[in-house]
């Protein structure tokens, strides 16, 4: 009777077939395995076969042995699907430094790995939140790891402009000039400056603000981000002649 030696080598993530050795293999015998589809027997008695339960018989001189004990080869472990990102990435905003995206084929039974992983979180519904960077994902289950996903890029957080700062003293109105003025010391041509109230106010290309009597605050905006308001600046009423 054919005897199987030791443990069965089961299929892996990469190899769909398993194998086992007939310990009392004899080249003078002919071996038959049931079922036989996809099965090979080497010249040393190594049997390679797909998933299934098998029995073996040996035949020689017109005689057939009794069947061996059954041998089971398990199904190949399933490799998880490559993670797929659903729709557009939610990019960082002025207020939120991280971006996010959804794994559309998320499976709670699967483990997901993001590379690089620093600062990354994955929620129980497949929402990935991460700082600026370019990421790929893999899924793992049953000891098998998927191929890497397409890369996903989260942009840098848009920079919020500095709070406008007034340089030195305010030039107050005079008997001859009804308006006063002051300079934004950290003026940046890439920013847009808003002043409240704005009636009668002008801002030059060098950051010189000219305005009538009143108390003002300024904000700077760029990249869709708005700074906090500046300290208030007061321009006095014109002295009466």
């Amino acid at each position: 009777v054919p005897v199987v030696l030791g443990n069965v080598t089961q299929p892996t993530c990469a190899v769909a077939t398993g194998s086992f050795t007939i310990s009392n293999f004899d080249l003078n015998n002919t071996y038959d395995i049931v079922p036989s589809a996809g099965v090979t027997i080497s010249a040393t008695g190594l049997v390679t076969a797909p998933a299934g339960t098998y029995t073996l018989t040996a035949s020689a001189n017109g005689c057939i042995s009794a069947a061996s004990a059954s041998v089971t080869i398990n199904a190949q472990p399933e490799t998880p699907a490559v993670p797929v990102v659903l729709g557009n990435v939610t990019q960082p905003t002025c207020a939120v430094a991280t971006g996010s995206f959804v794994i559309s084929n998320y499976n709670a039974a699967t483990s997901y790995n993001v590379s690089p992983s620093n600062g990354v979180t994955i929620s129980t519904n497949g929402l990935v939140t991460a700082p600026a960077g370019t990421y790929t994902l893999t899924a793992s289950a049953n000891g098998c790891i998927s191929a890497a996903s397409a890369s996903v890029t989260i942009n840098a957080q848009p920079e919020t402009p500095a709070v406008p700062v007034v340089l030195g003293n305010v030039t107050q109105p005079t008997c001859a000039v009804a308006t006063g003025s002051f300079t934004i010391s950290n003026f940046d041509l890439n920013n847009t400056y808003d002043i409240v109230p704005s009636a009668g106010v002008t801002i030059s290309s060098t950051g010189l603000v000219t305005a009538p009597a009143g108390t003002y605050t300024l904000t700077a905006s760029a990249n869709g981000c708005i700074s906090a308001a500046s300290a208030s600046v007061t321009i006095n009423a014109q002295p009466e002649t």
Side-chain angles (χ1 to χ4, degrees):
V1 176
V3 177
V4 173
L5 175 65
N7 294 330
V8 176
T9 299
Q10 297 293 353
T12 65
C13 307
V15 180
T17 55
S19 62
F20 55 89
T21 299
I22 303 168
S23 63
N24 57 346
F25 182 77
D26 187 337
L27 275 171
N28 295 314
N29 295 339
T30 300
Y31 292 88
D32 295 297
I33 190 165
V34 177
S36 61
V39 177
T40 62
I41 303 176
S42 77
T44 60
L46 178 69
V47 179
T48 303
T53 298
Y54 300 93
T55 56
L56 298 92
T57 56
S59 58
N61 308 310
C63 301
I64 303 174
S65 73
S68 69
S70 62
V71 181
T72 297
I73 292 179
N74 300 333
Q76 182 181 25
E78 185 177 357
T79 298
V82 176
V84 176
V85 174
L86 176 65
N88 294 329
V89 176
T90 299
Q91 298 292 353
T93 65
C94 308
V96 180
T98 54
S100 62
F101 54 89
V102 174
I103 303 169
S104 64
N105 58 345
Y106 181 80
N107 184 341
T110 300
S111 295
Y112 292 88
N113 297 298
V114 180
S115 180
S117 61
N118 191 37
V120 176
T121 61
I122 304 176
S123 76
T124 55
N125 59 7
L127 177 69
V128 179
T129 303
T134 297
Y135 299 92
T136 57
L137 298 90
T138 56
S140 58
N142 312 306
C144 303
I145 302 174
S146 75
S149 70
S151 62
V152 182
T153 298
I154 292 179
N155 300 334
Q157 183 180 25
E159 186 176 355
T160 298
V163 176
V165 176
V166 173
L167 176 64
N169 294 328
V170 175
T171 299
Q172 297 293 352
T174 65
C175 304
V177 179
T179 56
S181 62
F182 55 88
T183 299
I184 303 169
S185 64
N186 57 346
F187 182 78
D188 185 337
L189 274 171
N190 295 313
N191 295 341
T192 299
Y193 292 88
D194 295 296
I195 190 164
V196 177
S198 61
V201 177
T202 62
I203 304 177
S204 78
S205 59
T206 61
L208 177 68
V209 179
T210 303
T215 297
Y216 300 93
T217 57
L218 297 93
T219 56
S221 59
N223 312 307
C225 303
I226 302 174
S227 74
S230 70
S232 61
V233 181
T234 298
I235 292 178
N236 300 333
Q238 182 180 27
E240 187 175 353
T241 299

